[in-house]
Amino acid sequence: MGFLQSNYQLTICILYSLIFCLSSSAHLCHNDESTALLQFKKSFSFNCSACKCSRIPAQYDIDNWKEGTDCCAWDGVTCDNTTSHVIGLDLVCNCLYGTIHPNSSLFNLVHLQHLDLSLNNFNHSQILPSFGRFTDLTHLYLSDSYLSGPIQSSEEEVWQGNNFSNSIFHLQKLQELRLDGNRELTGKLPSFINGTLRHLRHLRWLDLTDIDFTGELPNSIGQLEYLEKLYLTNCNLFGTIPTSLGNLKKLTVLSLGWNNMNNGQFPSSIGQLKNLEKLDLGGCNFSGTIPRWLGNLTRLSYVYLSYNNFEGPIPQLFSNFSQLYLIDFSYNHLTGPIPSSITGLPNLHYLYLGSNSINGTIPPSLFHLVNLTYLDLSSNNLSDTVELDTFAKLEYLESLDLSNSGLSLTTTNSTPSSFRNIKTLRLSSCNISKIPEFLKTRNELLDMLDLSNNHLNEELNPLCNLHSLRYLDLSNNQLAGLIPTCLGNFNGNLTLLNLQRNNFHGSIPQTFGYASMLQELDISHNGLQGVLPRSLANCMNLEILNVGHNFLEDAFPFWLENLPQLKIIVLRDNKLHGPIEQPRKRLAFTNLHIIDMSHNEFTGTLPSEYFGSMHSMMMDDEDKSSLNYMAFGYGYYSVTIMNKGLEMTLVRIITIFKAVDFSYNKFDGKIPITIGRLKALCVLNFSRNGFTGPIPLSLVNLTELESLDLSQNKLSGEIPQQLTSLTFLEVFDVSQNNLTGIIPRGQQFETFSNTSYRGNADLCGFPLSKKCKTPKVAEPPSLPSSSSHNYKCRLDGFGWEAVLMGYGCGAVFGLVIGSCIIRRKEEWLVRIFRVKMHHQKNRSNEVRYQYGAR
Ligand SMILES: *[C@@H]1O[C@H](CO)[C@@H](O)[C@H](O)[C@H]1NC(C)=O
Ligand SMILES: *[C@@H]1O[C@H](CO)[C@@H](O)[C@H](O)[C@H]1NC(C)=O
Ligand SMILES: *[C@@H]1O[C@H](CO)[C@@H](O)[C@H](O)[C@H]1NC(C)=O
Ligand SMILES: *[C@@H]1O[C@H](CO)[C@@H](O)[C@H](O)[C@H]1NC(C)=O
Ligand SMILES: *[C@@H]1O[C@H](CO)[C@@H](O)[C@H](O)[C@H]1NC(C)=O
Ligand SMILES: *[C@@H]1O[C@H](CO)[C@@H](O)[C@H](O)[C@H]1NC(C)=O
Ligand SMILES: *[C@@H]1O[C@H](CO)[C@@H](O)[C@H](O)[C@H]1NC(C)=O
Ligand SMILES: *[C@@H]1O[C@H](CO)[C@@H](O)[C@H](O)[C@H]1NC(C)=O
Ligand SMILES: *[C@@H]1O[C@H](CO)[C@@H](O)[C@H](O)[C@H]1NC(C)=O
Ligand SMILES: *[C@@H]1O[C@H](CO)[C@@H](O)[C@H](O)[C@H]1NC(C)=O
Ligand SMILES: *[C@@H]1O[C@H](CO)[C@@H](O)[C@H](O)[C@H]1NC(C)=O
Ligand SMILES: *[C@@H]1O[C@H](CO)[C@@H](O)[C@H](O)[C@H]1NC(C)=O
């Protein structure tokens, strides 16, 4: 019996091997294709950190590509059953790093039907005309793979060696084409179907997100009758949206966000696209009311209309849209109430209505959206008083933003167990006067808490249970007592702590250093005493330290000089004292952008070496066209400094903004010549000290300077004539010194008034009434070239907010509110986590979240 059974097993075994042999022999791959694949593999190095792939290790392991083995059995390779030609190559996320040359052996695989090379790094290779050789290609995926250069348009044919090559837009069998996320690609959209040229007519899926196609969206797109998914987000397109889009009856995804569609309205023909599931028209300058035909698109699950100019009330459109998953109407000019018909959306997870002018009260139907996880009603004109726990009815809520919504929140009935899933809670300016109970219980989820601009006046110890907090903003309350030491113990997690403008007293806990993730610490405008905690020297990630407006008594914190990320130090208005000694290290404060030590009691001469190592302030190479802001996960940092004679809050600190403020101290001696090395400085303030000697000539090298204040010192000598070359100078003050001689003329110096020079007994010439005794031959002054001024350090109406000695704008770590902030594309990009159904095999249901990068 045992024998029989094992014999039977043996037979089965042999049978299987036979079948296996037969099937694999049917698959034996062609030699030349095997060679081509091996060569292709050899032409790359493997560097996963160079690729955008988040799935590492790769899905396919191409280590098993070995000479002498059947290439049809190799990972990622598919062969035709009958001809054995290689028809599929899937190397998505394989850490390939290197160039695709025109002679690449890839182009010998002419039978390819599926080619997926997405999420590798092709080191700025072009999409070569050779791709036009793959005439059987039905699926081409080259997303996020560092391709660059122009895409050849469909009209040209290119002579390559002995063969004509066509553009990829000529591949007649193409059904899916995805080139998204290659930001360096440029080109012109093809005329999709033009007379007899019927290439691309089988296209079902076209994703060209982020490619720079300057031009119009051709009307011919309406002829791609099989098109189901169209992604043209952020493609630099302009002009009108063609009405022919209404012909694309199979369309389920229409994504045209962030183009310059300036026609104001969009065609109602989109209302005929009954199969539409995802509609993205954000950031396109549309105006008018929200179109009613949206109500016809009953299959919608995502609708993005944010960052447009839509006005009027939100129509009662979406009742009983059973699929609707996300509504984003934020950043428009919508008015009127939240529609009560917003009920009956069982699948709604995301509702963004922030930054509009929505008024009225919260309809009770809102709380029937039981599956809601994200709710943003911030920055509106609602008028209602609501118990915070009412929102806890939405038991899956992970993110709630009611900041500046106009709502007043009571927390008297809050229970310890509410909001069990909350991760992000933003309740700035909500008239809250008591910390809600649920924040006092242990919580391992809460990541971000913003209770700024309320009326809290308790002690903070109850918050010590919020272990997982990364962002804590309690600024502008009346919180009192000591800063709890536990805040320093949220180690590993806390990166931002903003306690400015409260009533904290006592000394700063010595525990902050343990919170080595800390990037921003703002404890300014309190009543803190004592010394700065030396433990801060351990915060290697610290970028921003603001301890201004307290009663700290300490020497200059030279021990911070090694912190490699430190960009902003504000020590303003304390009782800090003593001399600033020479740096201990050769490289000190190398990354500093802003240092404000004003209104203290520092003495002695300035050590010249510090200015010699502040490399960031010397660097003027940052790209002005793509302005960067100092951003933190949830917003932008803001800092208040003196600039141009005003106290200004820079709500978004442009990284090119560099400033030094040592005013109101007791420094003496000469101004170090080395100051002239800080070529990138925008603001320099040495006023109200005891500096002696001449104005250093090296200041002429500070060519970006917009504000120079040397007033109320004991400077002597003449004002260097060469300073007229500082053509961005808007504020110049040397009043109350001991300067002599002729005031320079020409350029910006024609614009300064006599107050800039007051209190210098021996200055003469324009604009003072005192004539010079030995007038030089009057040079015809060259006038300032005001029309062509291109201030580097600021953007008009964008970035700067003058706040006259106050807190008018409610700047809260840059999450600045209402009119004060222009949150734009970047934030939208963070929000629009693109949920993309990915193709093929095991990945068919993969949901891809991309933050920031697009
Ligand atoms: C891998 O790529 C990263 C990022 O481009 C680069 O910094 C690194 O030097 C590369 N490593 C190798 C071994 O080439
Ligand atoms: C090739 O074989 C696979 C399974 O062995 C089968 O699913 C597929 O239909 C075949 N393709 C062709 C073109 O015969
Ligand atoms: C990427 O391109 C640069 C310049 O074209 C070249 O110096 C570098 O070696 C290339 N890297 C790889 C991995 O091919
Ligand atoms: C392909 O061309 C590149 C330069 O264009 C060269 O470095 C490389 O050796 C060539 N490869 C083959 C296989 O001819
Ligand atoms: C021309 O195309 C054929 C296949 O279409 C290919 O085998 C050959 O290598 C190409 N020649 C050149 C010079 O690119
Ligand atoms: C069709 O293509 C020709 C060039 O081949 C071009 O001049 C013409 O404008 C195109 N027509 C349309 C409608 O795009
Ligand atoms: C919307 O649907 C209604 C009724 O089905 C129809 O009368 C109307 O024409 C449709 N609007 C659009 C723009 O398709
Ligand atoms: C919440 O969503 C789930 C699926 O995500 C669904 O099954 C459930 O019915 C929804 N809840 C309600 C009340 O519709
Ligand atoms: C809301 O605003 C509109 C105009 O924008 C106004 O007519 C209406 O009275 C306001 N409603 C409330 C409740 O304030
Ligand atoms: C940081 O947060 C995680 C949860 O996100 C938590 O498990 C961990 O204990 C926290 N770390 C500390 C030191 O509290
Ligand atoms: C300005 O900078 C240049 C180069 O850094 C230097 O050679 C020159 O001496 C400086 N000018 C003055 C007046 O210090
Ligand atoms: C002003 O400078 C002159 C020399 O230029 C000097 O004699 C005088 O003492 C200075 N006055 C003050 C108040 O420093």
Side-chain angles (χ1 to χ4, degrees), residues 304-358:
Y304 299 94
L305 299 180
S306 53
Y307 295 92
N308 282 296
N309 299 314
F310 287 116
E311 54 191 23
I314 301 172
Q316 308 263 3
L317 286 177
F318 300 123
S319 41
N320 297 317
F321 272 44
S322 57
Q323 314 286 320
L324 207 51
Y325 184 78
L326 179 149
I327 296 176
D328 187 354
F329 289 171
S330 60
Y331 293 94
N332 280 290
H333 310 298
L334 299 170
T335 54
I338 299 172
S340 53
S341 72
I342 206 145
T343 178
L345 303 174
N347 201 30
L348 197 68
H349 283 64
Y350 296 80
L351 179 59
Y352 297 106
L353 299 176
S355 298
N356 281 291
S357 303
I358 296 169

Side-chain angles (χ1 to χ4, degrees), residues 54-67:
S54 55
R55 165 211 279 281
I56 287 172
Q59 180 176 8
Y60 296 117
D61 177 11
I62 66 176
D63 276 353
N64 80 349
W65 289 19
K66 296 260 163 60
E67 221 169 330

Side-chain angles (χ1 to χ4, degrees), residues 45 47 49-50 97 121:
S45 57
N47 184 344
S49 51
Y97 183 31
N121 186 338

Side-chain angles (χ1 to χ4, degrees), residues 161-214:
N162 299 320
N163 300 349
F164 273 114
S165 278
N166 282 318
S167 153
I168 48 169
F169 293 135
H170 252 228
L171 297 172
Q172 304 225 6
K173 296 184 183 164
L174 219 47
Q175 293 170 18
E176 297 197 8
L177 177 60
R178 300 193 212 167
L179 305 176
D180 53 302
N182 292 292
R183 288 156 171 247
E184 295 170 22
L185 280 180
T186 60
K188 189 169 155 286
L189 278 175
S191 42
F192 290 93
I193 293 182
N194 180 351
T196 53
L197 287 177
R198 295 186 56 79
H199 39 261
L200 295 183
R201 71 178 180 282
H202 295 293
L203 219 49
R204 288 188 319 208
W205 188 324
L206 181 63
D207 191 343
L208 303 175
T209 301
D210 287 335
I211 301 179
D212 186 6
F213 289 109
T214 310

Side-chain angles (χ1 to χ4, degrees), residues 465-687:
N465 286 314
L466 304 175
H467 283 269
S468 53
L469 272 184
R470 284 196 296 155
Y471 302 83
L472 177 59
D473 189 345
L474 299 169
S475 61
N476 214 20
N477 280 286
Q478 287 107 46
L479 294 163
L482 304 173
I483 295 179
T485 50
C486 74
L487 290 183
N489 285 332
F490 284 5
N491 37 353
N493 287 338
L494 201 63
T495 58
L496 180 149
L497 178 60
N498 192 344
L499 300 178
Q500 71 161 292
R501 290 172 208 265
N502 278 289
N503 298 328
F504 291 112
H505 63 82
S507 53
I508 308 169
Q510 296 291 322
T511 47
F512 278 112
Y514 306 123
S516 59
M517 291 307 284
L518 210 56
Q519 288 178 15
E520 181 195 328
L521 177 61
D522 190 338
I523 46 179
S524 63
H525 294 272
N526 278 290
L528 299 166
Q529 296 153 334
V531 297
L532 284 163
R534 298 299 185 265
S535 52
L536 284 175
N538 301 328
C539 298
M540 297 314 272
N541 297 313
L542 197 65
E543 294 186 29
I544 294 173
L545 176 65
N546 189 346
V547 299
H549 300 272
N550 281 295
F551 304 107
L552 301 173
E553 293 181 54
D554 202 344
F556 177 73
F558 64 88
W559 39 272
L560 292 172
E561 69 187 21
N562 293 333
L563 296 183
Q565 305 297 333
L566 197 59
K567 293 189 176 72
I568 298 178
I569 301 185
V570 180
L571 305 175
R572 181 191 182 86
D573 206 348
N574 276 291
K575 291 194 244 168
L576 303 173
H577 52 76
I580 298 179
E581 284 161 25
Q582 299 288 355
R584 307 292 198 277
K585 285 265 170 80
R586 198 173 58 82
L587 294 176
F589 295 116
T590 51
N591 215 349
L592 219 51
H593 287 52
I594 295 175
I595 180 165
D596 182 350
M597 315 210 304
S598 64
H599 297 267
N600 278 292
E601 291 158 18
F602 289 114
T603 53
T605 56
L606 289 181
S608 56
E609 277 72 12
Y610 268 120
F611 299 121
S613 65
M614 293 176 173
H615 291 292
S616 262
M617 298 220 202
M618 301 179 190
M619 226 84 87
D620 192 23
D621 53 358
E622 274 159 280
D623 184 3
K624 295 171 201 172
S625 60
S626 65
L627 285 165
N628 292 309
Y629 300 92
M630 287 186 196
F632 292 87
Y634 284 98
Y636 301 100
Y637 184 72
S638 71
V639 68
T640 302
I641 56 162
M642 288 297 291
N643 181 22
K644 301 178 182 174
L646 291 176
E647 185 165 310
M648 287 181 146
T649 296
L650 191 58
V651 296
R652 307 219 272 166
I653 299 166
I654 316 170
T655 52
I656 55 179
F657 184 85
K658 318 271 168 83
V660 168
D661 189 345
F662 286 5
S663 63
Y664 290 86
N665 277 290
K666 295 173 184 159
F667 291 116
D668 55 28
K670 289 186 178 169
I671 296 175
I673 293 169
T674 44
I675 191 78
R677 296 209 208 152
L678 307 186
K679 287 200 290 270
L681 270 191
C682 300
V683 172
L684 179 60
N685 192 346
F686 278 166
S687 68

